[in-house]
Amino acid sequence: MEIFKPTMYKKSIFDIDYQKLKNMGITCIVFDLDNTLGLIDEEKCPVKVKKLLKQLKKDFKIFVSSNNTKKRIEPYIKELEIEGFALALKPMAKNLRKIKKKYNFSKREMVMIGDQIMTDILSGNRFKIMTILVDPLGKKDLKVTYFNRIFEQKIVDSYQKRGIFERGKYYE
């Protein structure tokens, strides 16, 4: 069941020490979109996120991998001038595999960052790359995510009972 445990846990993408990731040899960051980079009903990338990703692009190759539609991710990837994958079918790792192969990254160079244990963290862990869980930006989710959150809570409860992971206790 450790397959669901993130390598790191941070409050948001703004609390991650990206210099530390760079020092660890990370060169590729794959972000989830909904409730990680923006709220589910935000059509445009928030200014603060745009500024952060513009900075990160100086040191990292940035991607978006979302289970949402192309129509949903298109405004973000165009505005951010990055590559993105819609209908990613996370927790499958097919897009992580594509990125690794196309850009010749090693798994040690890659990190998956997202707000869902059942999709983002599981896909990264299954692919054996670093994973960073962040708290969801909002409470509103896709309908399918509602069911994932139920299973996610059961996992979190189990981890908390064993002293492995607890919501709100951030770590690196």
Side-chain angles (χ1 to χ4, degrees):
M1 193 137 128
E2 304 298 316
I3 191 89
F4 297 106
K5 185 176 185 273
T7 311
M8 291 184 189
Y9 174 39
K10 294 294 182 179
K11 184 170 180 57
S12 79
I13 62 170
F14 301 102
D15 297 296
I16 296 169
D17 184 343
Y18 294 99
Q19 183 61 48
K20 181 177 181 174
L21 294 181
K22 183 179 175 184
N23 294 345
M24 294 169 67
I26 298 295
T27 57
C28 169
I29 301 175
V30 183
F31 285 100
D32 172 53
L33 175 58
D34 293 319
N35 277 329
T36 300
L37 294 180
L39 294 170
I40 194 162
D41 49 8
E42 280 180 320
E43 292 181 21
K44 295 185 107 186
C45 184
V47 173
K48 190 175 174 184
V49 172
K50 190 174 178 178
K51 280 184 180 178
L52 173 65
L53 269 61
K54 185 177 180 183
Q55 274 300 120
L56 293 178
K57 284 173 33 177
K58 294 176 183 175
D59 294 315
F60 303 97
K61 185 76 176 159
I62 308 290
F63 299 88
V64 169
S65 180
S66 175
N67 284 349
N68 212 325
T69 63
K70 185 174 183 175
K71 182 181 176 188
R72 167 70 177 128
I73 75 164
E74 201 69 30
Y76 274 77
I77 63 175
K78 279 186 178 179
E79 190 173 357
L80 296 168
E81 299 175 335
I82 59 175
E83 286 184 62
F85 299 90
L87 304 173
L89 301 175
K90 295 178 286 184
M92 291 174 54
K94 71 175 184 157
N95 291 322
L96 297 174
R97 205 171 290 108
K98 279 184 193 177
I99 292 167
K100 179 187 179 298
K101 185 176 181 178
K102 181 176 179 180
Y103 291 94
N104 201 28
F105 291 118
S106 72
K107 290 183 180 183
R108 291 184 314 278
E109 294 176 289
M110 299 175 71
V111 62
M112 176 74 208
I113 300 174
D115 69 298
Q116 288 189 62
I117 291 172
M118 297 296 296
T119 56
D120 309 314
I121 302 308
L122 183 56
S123 69
N125 285 350
R126 288 176 71 197
F127 195 60
K128 297 182 174 26
I129 63 172
M130 175 182 275
T131 55
I132 302 175
L133 178 69
V134 294
D135 288 339
L137 292 175
K139 295 200 182 289
K140 186 176 179 182
D141 274 317
L142 294 172
K143 288 179 184 171
V144 68
T145 305
Y146 170 78
F147 296 105
N148 285 343
R149 298 278 187 208
I150 292 169
F151 291 115
E152 183 176 291
Q153 190 57 53
K154 290 180 187 300
I155 291 163
V156 170
D157 290 346
S158 170
Y159 278 176
Q160 186 172 338
K161 285 178 189 170
R162 296 185 294 153
I164 295 172
F165 176 88
E166 187 175 334
R167 284 273 184 208
K169 285 196 175 181
Y170 306 106
Y171 63 85
E172 291 189 3

